[in-house]
């Protein structure tokens, strides 16, 4: 971790105390976790206070931790047990009732100080999940929050124009949620009798499509390996 990042890591607990949790990533990046009630106050301080000066919001990313840590199928012979999503060994599975199912990550950059910070906030339990909008602090959050609403179904209170951004008119559901079917909700076909395109429920049975490769050539045969 660079000296600049170390100074930032030391300054954060001095400024925010117990109202925020500071995490250090494996690559040396810093993540600040705040509660929804503290989000706007902490975000404003990160933007305006001397020593932080995060004037640019680079991105707002939604996360759905449903099925985090769960295997989809068991392997016959492997160093690990089952196919997973690269989670930390021993991490507890997340269900639809888990309070921290959804998260929003705000990627901040200070141009004047040349430093970066990730701000993370978990919405309070409930469906739909809700967080206050930061669009008044960083105008670039306008479309970023619309994207997170469209794909994850997270509502941002105080957003000036919270509409879908990427999906089509009348789209049902939020496609980046882990419980959204991979086949979608609706299929489209041309009906020659009606002479128009019709929308119907999907008739494809959903299934997990994970390639299962079994290698039996000489590279993996102990008797022939040497």
């Amino acid at each position: 971790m660079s000296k600049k990042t170390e100074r930032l890591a030391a300054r954060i607990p001095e400024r925010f105390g117990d109202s925020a949790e500071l995490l250090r990533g494996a690559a040396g990046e810093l993540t600040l976790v705040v509660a929804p009630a503290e989000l706007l106050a902490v975000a404003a301080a990160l933007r305006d206070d001397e020593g932080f000066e995060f004037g640019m919001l680079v991105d707002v990313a939604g996360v759905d931790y449903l099925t985090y840590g769960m295997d989809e199928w068991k392997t016959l012979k492997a160093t690990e047990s089952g196919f997973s999503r690269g989670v930390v060994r021993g991490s507890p599975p997340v269900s639809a009732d888990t309070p921290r199912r959804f998260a929003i990550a705000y990627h901040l950059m200070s141009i004047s100080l040349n430093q970066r910070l990730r701000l993370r906030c978990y919405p309070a339990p409930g469906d739909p999940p809700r967080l206050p909008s930061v669009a008044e602090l960083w105008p670039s959050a306008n479309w970023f929050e619309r994207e997170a609403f469209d794909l994850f179904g997270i509502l941002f209170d105080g957003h000036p124009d919270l509409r879908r951004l990427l999906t089509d008119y009348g789209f049902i559901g939020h496609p980046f949620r882990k419980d959204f079917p991979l086949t979608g909700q609706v299929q489209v076909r041309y009906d020659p009798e009606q002479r128009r395109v019709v929308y119907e429920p999907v008739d494809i049975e959903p299934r997990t499509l994970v390639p299962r490769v079994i290698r039996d050539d000489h590279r993996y045969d102990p008797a022939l390996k040497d």
Side-chain angles (χ1 to χ4, degrees), residues 202-222:
V202 175
D203 58 7
I204 302 175
E205 180 182 356
R207 63 187 186 278
T208 301
L209 298 177
V210 180
R212 188 171 183 175
V213 181
I214 299 177
R215 300 178 175 91
D216 290 327
D217 59 34
H218 67 281
R219 295 175 296 170
Y220 304 93
D221 190 337

mmCIF file of all heavy atoms in Angstrom, residues 202-222:
data_model
loop_
_atom_site.group_PDB
_atom_site.id
_atom_site.type_symbol
_atom_site.label_atom_id
_atom_site.label_comp_id
_atom_site.label_asym_id
_atom_site.label_seq_id
_atom_site.Cartn_x
_atom_site.Cartn_y
_atom_site.Cartn_z
ATOM 1 N N VAL A 202 -42.318 -17.451 -21.367
ATOM 2 C CA VAL A 202 -41.232 -18.313 -21.824
ATOM 3 C C VAL A 202 -41.578 -19.774 -21.570
ATOM 4 O O VAL A 202 -42.047 -20.128 -20.485
ATOM 5 C CB VAL A 202 -39.919 -17.946 -21.107
ATOM 6 C CG1 VAL A 202 -38.813 -18.915 -21.479
ATOM 7 C CG2 VAL A 202 -39.509 -16.536 -21.470
ATOM 8 N N ASP A 203 -41.386 -20.619 -22.583
ATOM 9 C CA ASP A 203 -41.672 -22.051 -22.424
ATOM 10 C C ASP A 203 -40.401 -22.889 -22.344
ATOM 11 O O ASP A 203 -40.440 -24.106 -22.483
ATOM 12 C CB ASP A 203 -42.556 -22.548 -23.574
ATOM 13 C CG ASP A 203 -41.918 -22.318 -24.946
ATOM 14 O OD1 ASP A 203 -40.746 -21.893 -25.003
ATOM 15 O OD2 ASP A 203 -42.600 -22.577 -25.957
ATOM 16 N N ILE A 204 -39.250 -22.248 -22.121
ATOM 17 C CA ILE A 204 -37.984 -22.966 -21.978
ATOM 18 C C ILE A 204 -37.769 -23.288 -20.504
ATOM 19 O O ILE A 204 -37.917 -22.416 -19.640
ATOM 20 C CB ILE A 204 -36.807 -22.119 -22.505
ATOM 21 C CG1 ILE A 204 -37.028 -21.754 -23.969
ATOM 22 C CG2 ILE A 204 -35.493 -22.859 -22.328
ATOM 23 C CD1 ILE A 204 -35.975 -20.822 -24.524
ATOM 24 N N GLU A 205 -37.422 -24.526 -20.224
ATOM 25 C CA GLU A 205 -37.178 -24.921 -18.844
ATOM 26 C C GLU A 205 -35.822 -24.397 -18.387
ATOM 27 O O GLU A 205 -34.795 -24.702 -19.008
ATOM 28 C CB GLU A 205 -37.209 -26.443 -18.709
ATOM 29 C CG GLU A 205 -36.972 -26.936 -17.293
ATOM 30 C CD GLU A 205 -36.975 -28.449 -17.212
ATOM 31 O OE1 GLU A 205 -37.236 -29.105 -18.237
ATOM 32 O OE2 GLU A 205 -36.704 -28.974 -16.117
ATOM 33 N N PRO A 206 -35.762 -23.569 -17.339
ATOM 34 C CA PRO A 206 -34.466 -23.044 -16.890
ATOM 35 C C PRO A 206 -33.595 -24.138 -16.307
ATOM 36 O O PRO A 206 -34.074 -25.044 -15.623
ATOM 37 C CB PRO A 206 -34.859 -22.015 -15.823
ATOM 38 C CG PRO A 206 -36.203 -22.461 -15.342
ATOM 39 C CD PRO A 206 -36.883 -23.106 -16.532
ATOM 40 N N ARG A 207 -32.313 -24.074 -16.576
ATOM 41 C CA ARG A 207 -31.365 -25.043 -16.043
ATOM 42 C C ARG A 207 -29.994 -24.384 -15.953
ATOM 43 O O ARG A 207 -29.730 -23.382 -16.620
ATOM 44 C CB ARG A 207 -31.293 -26.292 -16.926
ATOM 45 C CG ARG A 207 -30.784 -26.045 -18.343
ATOM 46 C CD ARG A 207 -30.905 -27.301 -19.192
ATOM 47 N NE ARG A 207 -30.318 -27.154 -20.498
ATOM 48 C CZ ARG A 207 -30.890 -26.589 -21.545
ATOM 49 N NH1 ARG A 207 -32.113 -26.113 -21.417
ATOM 50 N NH2 ARG A 207 -30.271 -26.487 -22.695
ATOM 51 N N THR A 208 -29.143 -24.939 -15.131
ATOM 52 C CA THR A 208 -27.800 -24.410 -14.953
ATOM 53 C C THR A 208 -26.901 -24.953 -16.058
ATOM 54 O O THR A 208 -26.742 -26.160 -16.204
ATOM 55 C CB THR A 208 -27.245 -24.810 -13.584
ATOM 56 O OG1 THR A 208 -28.111 -24.301 -12.567
ATOM 57 C CG2 THR A 208 -25.855 -24.244 -13.391
ATOM 58 N N LEU A 209 -26.330 -24.057 -16.828
ATOM 59 C CA LEU A 209 -25.453 -24.449 -17.928
ATOM 60 C C LEU A 209 -24.007 -24.188 -17.521
ATOM 61 O O LEU A 209 -23.444 -23.132 -17.780
ATOM 62 C CB LEU A 209 -25.814 -23.668 -19.191
ATOM 63 C CG LEU A 209 -27.234 -23.894 -19.729
ATOM 64 C CD1 LEU A 209 -27.501 -23.024 -20.931
ATOM 65 C CD2 LEU A 209 -27.437 -25.359 -20.095
ATOM 66 N N VAL A 210 -23.412 -25.157 -16.852
ATOM 67 C CA VAL A 210 -22.028 -25.056 -16.426
ATOM 68 C C VAL A 210 -21.243 -26.162 -17.113
ATOM 69 O O VAL A 210 -21.576 -27.344 -16.973
ATOM 70 C CB VAL A 210 -21.900 -25.200 -14.898
ATOM 71 C CG1 VAL A 210 -20.442 -25.100 -14.476
ATOM 72 C CG2 VAL A 210 -22.723 -24.142 -14.208
ATOM 73 N N PRO A 211 -20.238 -25.829 -17.912
ATOM 74 C CA PRO A 211 -19.477 -26.875 -18.599
ATOM 75 C C PRO A 211 -18.764 -27.787 -17.613
ATOM 76 O O PRO A 211 -18.137 -27.323 -16.665
ATOM 77 C CB PRO A 211 -18.481 -26.087 -19.458
ATOM 78 C CG PRO A 211 -18.370 -24.761 -18.777
ATOM 79 C CD PRO A 211 -19.719 -24.487 -18.189
ATOM 80 N N ARG A 212 -18.890 -29.046 -17.846
ATOM 81 C CA ARG A 212 -18.250 -30.034 -16.981
ATOM 82 C C ARG A 212 -17.246 -30.801 -17.822
ATOM 83 O O ARG A 212 -17.615 -31.656 -18.642
ATOM 84 C CB ARG A 212 -19.300 -30.961 -16.383
ATOM 85 C CG ARG A 212 -18.754 -31.903 -15.320
ATOM 86 C CD ARG A 212 -19.896 -32.607 -14.637
ATOM 87 N NE ARG A 212 -19.433 -33.470 -13.568
ATOM 88 C CZ ARG A 212 -20.226 -34.122 -12.742
ATOM 89 N NH1 ARG A 212 -21.539 -33.978 -12.847
ATOM 90 N NH2 ARG A 212 -19.754 -34.901 -11.797
ATOM 91 N N VAL A 213 -15.983 -30.490 -17.657
ATOM 92 C CA VAL A 213 -14.926 -31.054 -18.485
ATOM 93 C C VAL A 213 -14.232 -32.166 -17.712
ATOM 94 O O VAL A 213 -13.743 -31.953 -16.606
ATOM 95 C CB VAL A 213 -13.911 -29.973 -18.899
ATOM 96 C CG1 VAL A 213 -12.829 -30.572 -19.780
ATOM 97 C CG2 VAL A 213 -14.623 -28.834 -19.625
ATOM 98 N N ILE A 214 -14.188 -33.352 -18.301
ATOM 99 C CA ILE A 214 -13.484 -34.486 -17.709
ATOM 100 C C ILE A 214 -12.294 -34.801 -18.612
ATOM 101 O O ILE A 214 -12.462 -35.135 -19.787
ATOM 102 C CB ILE A 214 -14.406 -35.717 -17.578
ATOM 103 C CG1 ILE A 214 -15.591 -35.366 -16.672
ATOM 104 C CG2 ILE A 214 -13.630 -36.904 -17.023
ATOM 105 C CD1 ILE A 214 -16.591 -36.497 -16.532
ATOM 106 N N ARG A 215 -11.093 -34.675 -18.075
ATOM 107 C CA ARG A 215 -9.876 -34.883 -18.861
ATOM 108 C C ARG A 215 -9.313 -36.257 -18.538
ATOM 109 O O ARG A 215 -8.956 -36.546 -17.403
ATOM 110 C CB ARG A 215 -8.863 -33.790 -18.540
ATOM 111 C CG ARG A 215 -9.363 -32.379 -18.845
ATOM 112 C CD ARG A 215 -8.316 -31.345 -18.458
ATOM 113 N NE ARG A 215 -8.732 -30.008 -18.839
ATOM 114 C CZ ARG A 215 -9.416 -29.181 -18.068
ATOM 115 N NH1 ARG A 215 -9.795 -29.590 -16.866
ATOM 116 N NH2 ARG A 215 -9.740 -27.980 -18.483
ATOM 117 N N ASP A 216 -9.231 -37.096 -19.560
ATOM 118 C CA ASP A 216 -8.751 -38.456 -19.367
ATOM 119 C C ASP A 216 -7.521 -38.771 -20.215
ATOM 120 O O ASP A 216 -7.147 -39.930 -20.352
ATOM 121 C CB ASP A 216 -9.857 -39.469 -19.724
ATOM 122 C CG ASP A 216 -10.989 -39.451 -18.704
ATOM 123 O OD1 ASP A 216 -10.680 -39.214 -17.527
ATOM 124 O OD2 ASP A 216 -12.146 -39.664 -19.087
ATOM 125 N N ASP A 217 -6.893 -37.752 -20.841
ATOM 126 C CA ASP A 217 -5.737 -38.053 -21.686
ATOM 127 C C ASP A 217 -4.496 -38.266 -20.817
ATOM 128 O O ASP A 217 -4.533 -38.212 -19.591
ATOM 129 C CB ASP A 217 -5.511 -36.940 -22.718
ATOM 130 C CG ASP A 217 -5.284 -35.583 -22.074
ATOM 131 O OD1 ASP A 217 -4.679 -35.564 -20.990
ATOM 132 O OD2 ASP A 217 -5.706 -34.573 -22.651
ATOM 133 N N HIS A 218 -3.351 -38.477 -21.494
ATOM 134 C CA HIS A 218 -2.148 -38.909 -20.778
ATOM 135 C C HIS A 218 -1.613 -37.844 -19.822
ATOM 136 O O HIS A 218 -0.878 -38.157 -18.888
ATOM 137 C CB HIS A 218 -1.049 -39.259 -21.795
ATOM 138 C CG HIS A 218 -0.555 -38.079 -22.565
ATOM 139 N ND1 HIS A 218 -1.246 -37.540 -23.629
ATOM 140 C CD2 HIS A 218 0.548 -37.307 -22.399
ATOM 141 C CE1 HIS A 218 -0.571 -36.501 -24.110
ATOM 142 N NE2 HIS A 218 0.512 -36.337 -23.381
ATOM 143 N N ARG A 219 -1.982 -36.578 -20.022
ATOM 144 C CA ARG A 219 -1.476 -35.533 -19.133
ATOM 145 C C ARG A 219 -1.993 -35.697 -17.708
ATOM 146 O O ARG A 219 -1.389 -35.190 -16.755
ATOM 147 C CB ARG A 219 -1.855 -34.155 -19.674
ATOM 148 C CG ARG A 219 -1.203 -33.794 -20.999
ATOM 149 C CD ARG A 219 -1.755 -32.461 -21.487
ATOM 150 N NE ARG A 219 -3.184 -32.573 -21.757
ATOM 151 C CZ ARG A 219 -3.967 -31.511 -22.004
ATOM 152 N NH1 ARG A 219 -3.454 -30.291 -21.984
ATOM 153 N NH2 ARG A 219 -5.246 -31.679 -22.244
ATOM 154 N N TYR A 220 -3.111 -36.367 -17.555
ATOM 155 C CA TYR A 220 -3.743 -36.480 -16.245
ATOM 156 C C TYR A 220 -3.753 -37.924 -15.727
ATOM 157 O O TYR A 220 -4.337 -38.203 -14.693
ATOM 158 C CB TYR A 220 -5.169 -35.932 -16.289
ATOM 159 C CG TYR A 220 -5.207 -34.501 -16.783
ATOM 160 C CD1 TYR A 220 -5.400 -34.218 -18.128
ATOM 161 C CD2 TYR A 220 -5.006 -33.435 -15.903
ATOM 162 C CE1 TYR A 220 -5.417 -32.904 -18.583
ATOM 163 C CE2 TYR A 220 -5.009 -32.136 -16.348
ATOM 164 C CZ TYR A 220 -5.213 -31.863 -17.695
ATOM 165 O OH TYR A 220 -5.211 -30.574 -18.142
ATOM 166 N N ASP A 221 -3.112 -38.822 -16.447
ATOM 167 C CA ASP A 221 -3.016 -40.220 -16.011
ATOM 168 C C ASP A 221 -1.711 -40.372 -15.206
ATOM 169 O O ASP A 221 -0.624 -40.206 -15.754
ATOM 170 C CB ASP A 221 -3.008 -41.154 -17.219
ATOM 171 C CG ASP A 221 -3.148 -42.614 -16.807
ATOM 172 O OD1 ASP A 221 -2.822 -42.938 -15.632
ATOM 173 O OD2 ASP A 221 -3.561 -43.436 -17.651
ATOM 174 N N PRO A 222 -1.788 -40.698 -13.919
ATOM 175 C CA PRO A 222 -0.551 -40.800 -13.111
ATOM 176 C C PRO A 222 0.445 -41.794 -13.672
ATOM 177 O O PRO A 222 1.655 -41.602 -13.539
ATOM 178 C CB PRO A 222 -1.068 -41.221 -11.739
ATOM 179 C CG PRO A 222 -2.509 -40.773 -11.717
ATOM 180 C CD PRO A 222 -2.998 -40.913 -13.125
#
